[in-house]
Amino acid sequence: MNPSPKIDHDDVLRARTKLLASAGPNRRERVEAYRVLAQVSPTVHLPRLVDALLSLSYEHGLRDSHPLRLALCEEAVAAARTIDRGAPDREKLLFRALLLCHRELYALGRRPEGLAVLAEMVAMERTFDALSGVSALHLWATALAEEGRHAEAADALAERVAAIRPERPDFDTLARLLAEWAATLADAGRADEALAAFEVLVDLDAEEAPDDRGPLACHFYALVRYAELLDGYGHAERAAAARQSALAALTELATVGERTVRSGDPAPFWATLLAWSAADGERLASDGPYPPSGAGPRQWSADVRQRYFDRLVTLREQLNTLAEDPDRHLPESLRLHRVLTVRATVQCEQSTYAFDAQLPELQPLFDEGVELARRLCWHDPDAGSRTLAEVLIDRSTFRTATRRFDAALNDFREALGLRGDDH
């Protein structure tokens, strides 16, 4: 057994004096003081040391120094583990320290270690209630999906959905979680479960309590994505019926406007579903993790997010090259243009909390996509008409997000006419 460290009483006196100084200690001084005092009175000062270490990790000068921040977080984890079991807030402090440690490990590219930390946090969350406002299970699911472990991620999200539904979360929280669950089930190849999960999302508006319903625009976006899923799984008649329901929702929006709701942010929800609809054609190279379908960009790991947006410049360069002989490369131009449009939308959504105000900047991209599709339709009516319908539906959802409901309705009706299910 290692002997206890010898306590220097002068150090203890200096530490106490520093904490009691009229000007008050700065963050570094607090850490230095509590490191000393935790040896004298661990019951009182260990929790304060953990808090001081984590607070110091947020110091402005350390924000870009991930190794130093990780060292502080790891010291906080070690200190939290030595707090007596049963002490008030021990688990909350340890959970918080692990959370920040996980983030720094991911920032440094040490993903396996970050996953191991998340696994410990999930085990704690299953044992102790209300450790944090952050769900370790949700973080775990997103991290697994980034690694391509979709079946495990889907099971974790199923557990999360089952845990929060009895708590009657607001529409926005539940809708986003259901969309992510359905997307992960789809990525796992569990088609029937994916459709069933998405049906729960679509049916949220049918709940008995009218105040619990989300924005009608969100219902429209969900129906559009549901129809795409059904088409992808070969359920053409059900997909057509879903589009008719979407048409009814959009007609109501154009006629009477959005309904009053307690929760739900339509624009970010639209961006998330749009990104999911393009996910199959947007997978990054298999040499690294990629964005999880159905999850908003703020949930992605920093390195995944950076790789996703880094390709925007390359996409623009590729499109400029193809534009030198536009009619020859129309199908490829359309494919790349949609990838660019989706990524630009996601970048806009994750970079600002005033997403609604930034939306008009995206309009040229959606308009250019429609023009490219019309040219393809003129050169090749058979192949072009279906492509034009898809691009018009994209622009219809965008126009709905910008509250241009009449224009959105015109696009959607034209798209249904091109698909032949406008009856």
Side-chain angles (χ1 to χ4, degrees):
M1 181 174 178
N2 294 328
S4 300
K6 185 177 180 180
I7 297 173
D8 188 316
H9 294 287
D10 289 338
D11 287 345
V12 173
L13 180 60
R14 281 192 290 270
R16 286 177 172 155
T17 301
K18 193 177 294 183
L19 289 174
L20 294 171
S22 59
N26 60 35
R27 290 177 177 177
R28 292 178 185 274
E29 290 170 336
R30 285 182 67 233
V31 167
E32 292 167 359
Y34 286 130
R35 279 173 175 157
V36 173
L37 296 175
Q39 299 175 52
V40 179
S41 181
T43 301
V44 174
H45 293 296
L46 269 176
R48 294 173 182 174
L49 173 60
V50 174
D51 187 70
L53 286 163
L54 297 179
S55 178
L56 179 57
S57 75
Y58 282 108
E59 187 89 6
H60 181 75
L62 295 179
R63 286 181 183 175
D64 296 323
S65 182
H66 295 294
L68 289 176
R69 293 183 68 174
L70 177 60
L72 291 168
C73 293
E74 288 179 330
E75 184 181 351
V77 168
R81 292 192 195 283
T82 60
I83 297 173
D84 290 339
R85 294 185 180 276
D89 294 333
R90 176 188 183 273
E91 281 70 31
K92 287 184 179 180
L93 282 169
L94 177 57
F95 188 92
R96 181 181 164 213
L98 288 169
L99 175 62
L100 296 182
C101 191
H102 146 73
R103 289 175 179 169
E104 294 307 315
L105 286 167
Y106 265 66
L108 289 166
R110 294 162 60 178
R111 298 179 68 91
E113 294 169 82
L115 273 174
V117 170
L118 276 179
E120 180 177 355
M121 291 167 62
V122 169
M124 290 180 65
E125 191 172 82
R126 286 169 174 157
T127 304
F128 302 99
D129 293 329
L131 290 174
S132 169
V134 176
S135 166
L137 191 60
H138 200 171
L139 290 174
W140 171 248
T142 302
L144 290 173
E146 288 181 345
E147 302 292 339
R149 296 163 60 178
H150 301 300
E152 296 170 78
D155 291 341
L157 286 169
E159 183 180 346
R160 178 64 181 155
V161 170
I164 72 165
R165 289 206 74 177
E167 300 171 3
R168 297 186 64 81
D170 60 54
F171 172 87
D172 200 41
T173 299
L174 185 55
R176 285 172 175 271
L177 183 58
L178 287 169
E180 187 177 354
W181 182 32
T184 309
L185 285 165
D187 284 343
R190 292 152 64 173
D192 290 342
E193 292 175 76
L195 288 175
F198 212 87
E199 284 163 10
V200 176
L201 170 58
V202 170
D203 290 343
L204 280 182
D205 287 298
E207 303 226 350
E208 292 182 6
D211 289 342
D212 286 342
R213 296 186 301 175
L216 189 55
C218 287
H219 188 49
F220 169 64
Y221 304 142
L223 285 165
V224 168
R225 183 66 189 121
Y226 182 48
E228 292 171 346
L229 272 182
L230 288 165
D231 269 330
Y233 292 134
H235 301 295
E237 290 186 7
R238 291 171 62 190
R243 276 187 288 272
Q244 288 299 316
S245 296
L247 175 62
L250 186 52
T251 301
E252 182 179 339
L253 279 168
T255 304
V256 300
E258 184 60 270
R259 59 195 178 198
T260 302
V261 292
R262 292 188 303 177
S263 69
D265 194 348
F269 186 64
W270 159 70
T272 297
L273 293 185
L274 180 70
W276 173 19
S277 74
D280 287 343
E282 292 228 32
R283 296 296 189 208
L284 298 180
S286 58
D287 60 348
Y290 49 80
S293 303
R298 292 191 179 93
Q299 294 174 246
W300 306 350
S301 302
D303 57 335
V304 170
R305 191 163 49 241
Q306 188 62 48
R307 292 174 69 225
Y308 183 85
F309 296 130
D310 279 349
R311 198 175 169 228
L312 280 169
V313 174
T314 304
L315 284 167
R316 289 189 173 96
E317 291 172 349
Q318 290 175 312
L319 282 166
N320 289 337
T321 300
L322 294 177
E324 295 172 4
D325 189 359
D327 292 340
R328 181 181 176 187
H329 303 292
L330 272 174
E332 179 64 4
S333 292
L334 267 165
R335 186 188 71 80
L336 290 176
H337 190 278
R338 186 169 194 252
V339 173
L340 173 65
T341 301
V342 170
R343 292 197 185 206
T345 300
V346 174
Q347 184 185 49
C348 185
E349 192 272 325
Q350 73 89 34
S351 63
T352 175
Y353 284 94
F355 184 36
D356 288 1
Q358 306 298 319
L359 279 175
E361 297 178 9
L362 299 169
Q363 180 171 326
L365 283 172
F366 286 92
D367 291 343
E368 289 163 14
V370 171
E371 290 308 309
L372 281 172
R374 291 198 191 282
R375 283 166 57 188
L376 178 62
C377 209
W378 185 82
H379 285 281
D380 185 349
D382 290 337
S385 60
R386 190 169 189 88
T387 300
L388 178 56
E390 293 171 352
V391 175
L392 281 167
I393 288 175
D394 279 350
R395 191 172 70 172
S396 175
T397 60
F398 165 73
R399 285 176 160 174
T400 301
T402 58
R403 305 184 70 83
R404 296 171 59 199
F405 301 134
D406 289 333
L409 184 57
N410 289 337
D411 277 348
F412 200 75
R413 283 174 172 160
E414 182 180 356
L416 294 191
L418 288 165
R419 294 187 62 91
D421 53 17
D422 56 339
H423 50 281

